[in-house]
Amino acid sequence: MSPSREPPPSAVPGPSVRESQGLLRKYRELMKKHTALVRKLGEHTRRQVITFKLSRWALETNDSALAVMKATGVVLANSRWHVMGRLRGPWRREEDGAERMALRDVGQAEAAAVLALTEGARITRYRQVRESQPRVLEVRAERVTGHMQGQVLVLARDITEQARTEEELANARATLLEREKVRALGELAAGIAHDLRATLDAMRLRLELLQRDVDPAGQGQQHLDALTRVVSDAEARVDRLQDFSRRKPGTVLERVQLMDVVRDAVDIVRGGIEHHARQGGQPLRLDVELPEGLPHVCGSAMELRYVIINLIINARDAMPRGGAIRVKAFRFARAVRLTVEDEGTGIPEEHLLNIFKPFFTTKGDKGTGLGLSMAYGVVTKAGGTLTAANRPEGGAVFTLTFPALKAAPTPARGGAR
């Protein structure tokens, strides 16, 4: 029996023409879908590239410093972060006074603080230390979620101008409040002075009635005369107090004899200084040296009186152990100079440049920081200067210098014939 033979290849049945056309059609459809997917993928990739470029451009051109950080260091940062990182430190956190040497240390501290929280962001402010015009940074730290979990996004903005504006606004509000307090105190002083004046008038009337019934040559008349002088002096002081507390809508500059202004100011404060010395148990002395014939100066007598009163009271407060306050006026070239010296603790050197600035005070809660600034404004408005310095012997000296005015022309006697 002979073995069977396989048919030749040409004899194997192949796909029909219809099946081949169907497969070709399916292939073409798949190619179209593939081409559409490739086109869609390319469009998506192009958008991602554009988004990445825009994001990078936005990060690099932003004024804020941005960094992705861990508690151990910086992972990624924009160029602004590196620029701000070169600013001099240290940086002091306003909430607790903690200091960090560089921006990197600030970011690490804030990142560690945020990672210690369960959720939420953290916003803090840092201020440069040992700078005449310190910068202020606002640092916002927020935990990153998703595949970057465990990292913190830190955004640092330079808000120096914003902080300065906030401080100026707070100072303006405080100024308005202090002005309102001063106005209220002025009204209160005016009311008290009015009541005192009425009381003194009644006392004067009673004394005049008593003088009618007392023997002019007797001992009682001497006592009545002394009481009359005391009442007259008290009335003069009340008049000065009323003039001092009276507020005017505008300041009128006039010819002022500085000696008279100083005498009035000394009369007003002398009693308070003597009472303060008795209460504190420390000897206080007020020495006044006023030569005759000083030329007039330009200014407001009422406001200059306030300036001298304020300087004398400051000198008293600067001498907790007592001492002498010396008020001296003299002619200096073509000017009139007035000095107020004390034997107190003096002024720290670092405060001499700021002592006339508004709201700057070394008295803590006992001072408003407005007295010397207002005095400086009064003297400057009058065309003078006000300076402060420390005496070599101890204590401080305030010097007021005013341009001397020419003597007023005397009216000619009689008329032309």
Side-chain angles (χ1 to χ4, degrees), residues 32-349:
K32 287 181 180 180
K33 292 181 179 180
H34 178 267
T35 303
L37 289 175
V38 170
R39 187 182 300 111
K40 189 174 182 180
L41 179 62
E43 183 67 20
H44 181 68
T45 303
R46 187 176 68 85
R47 290 179 180 177
Q48 283 188 328
V49 171
I50 293 175
T51 302
F52 174 78
K53 289 182 178 180
L54 288 175
S55 301
R56 185 174 181 81
W57 175 81
L59 289 176
E60 295 300 330
T61 58
N62 194 358
D63 289 338
S64 301
L66 181 64
V68 179
M69 305 193 68
K70 293 182 178 180
T72 56
V74 179
V75 178
L76 181 66
N78 65 349
S79 58
R80 179 62 176 168
W81 178 275
H82 298 294
V83 171
M84 293 181 65
R86 291 192 288 269
L87 295 176
R88 291 181 57 186
W91 297 91
R92 178 176 296 164
R93 189 160 53 196
E94 292 187 351
E95 64 180 20
D96 57 3
E99 292 186 3
R100 300 291 184 267
M101 290 305 300
L103 182 61
R104 178 187 66 256
D105 303 324
V106 170
Q108 289 181 359
E110 295 304 309
V114 168
L115 291 175
L117 301 176
T118 56
E119 60 180 5
R122 174 182 169 87
I123 300 177
T124 54
R125 284 190 179 187
Y126 285 81
R127 187 181 296 268
Q128 269 181 317
V129 182
R130 294 191 293 271
E131 291 289 336
S132 57
Q133 295 181 347
R135 293 175 178 265
V136 181
L137 295 182
E138 183 182 77
V139 181
R140 177 185 176 89
E142 187 172 356
R143 186 194 299 267
V144 181
T145 59
H147 65 283
M148 298 177 65
Q149 190 172 4
Q151 299 179 357
V152 177
L153 185 65
V154 180
L155 179 69
R157 294 192 304 121
D158 188 341
I159 60 167
T160 304
E161 293 299 326
Q162 176 185 336
R164 185 177 294 115
T165 302
E166 292 174 355
E167 292 176 358
E168 291 175 355
L169 180 60
N171 290 340
R173 290 175 177 172
T175 301
L176 292 177
L177 179 60
E178 291 298 331
R179 286 180 179 176
E180 183 63 22
K181 289 181 179 178
V182 171
R183 184 192 64 79
L185 288 175
E187 293 180 356
L188 179 61
I192 294 175
H194 179 269
D195 294 340
L196 287 175
R197 184 57 185 266
T199 303
L200 292 172
D201 288 341
M203 292 176 64
R204 175 182 288 278
L205 178 60
R206 294 288 183 177
L207 288 173
E208 291 176 354
L209 293 175
L210 287 174
Q211 284 178 335
R212 297 177 183 178
D213 301 331
V214 175
D215 183 9
Q219 188 72 20
Q221 183 63 41
Q222 296 179 4
H223 293 303
L224 289 177
D225 291 340
L227 286 174
T228 302
R229 287 194 299 271
V230 170
V231 171
S232 298
D233 292 341
E235 287 178 339
R237 286 180 172 84
V238 169
D239 288 340
R240 295 190 186 101
L241 180 60
Q242 285 180 320
D243 183 50
F244 177 69
S245 62
R246 189 178 297 116
R247 299 185 60 86
K248 299 180 180 179
T251 301
V252 178
L253 299 181
E254 55 190 351
R255 295 176 65 90
V256 177
Q257 177 51 258
L258 204 57
M259 292 187 303
D260 297 337
V261 174
V262 173
R263 289 193 184 101
D264 292 344
V266 170
D267 287 342
I268 291 175
V269 300
R270 186 182 293 276
I273 289 179
E274 294 173 352
H275 175 72
H276 186 273
R278 289 193 298 269
Q279 293 293 106
Q282 299 293 342
L284 280 176
R285 190 175 73 254
L286 181 57
D287 298 334
V288 182
E289 183 179 342
L290 300 175
E292 297 293 336
L294 285 178
H296 288 73
V297 299
C298 182
S300 168
M302 181 187 68
E303 291 189 344
L304 290 177
R305 190 181 302 117
Y306 156 78
V307 171
I308 298 168
I309 290 173
N310 187 74
L311 292 178
I312 295 175
I313 292 176
N314 284 349
R316 179 202 66 186
D317 295 341
M319 297 192 300
R321 298 182 179 179
I325 303 173
R326 299 179 181 88
V327 181
K328 181 180 179 181
F330 54 93
R331 186 161 187 168
F332 181 79
R334 297 182 178 179
V336 177
R337 180 163 288 182
L338 176 70
T339 59
V340 179
E341 300 182 0
D342 63 68
E343 298 177 348
T345 56
I347 306 170
E349 294 295 332

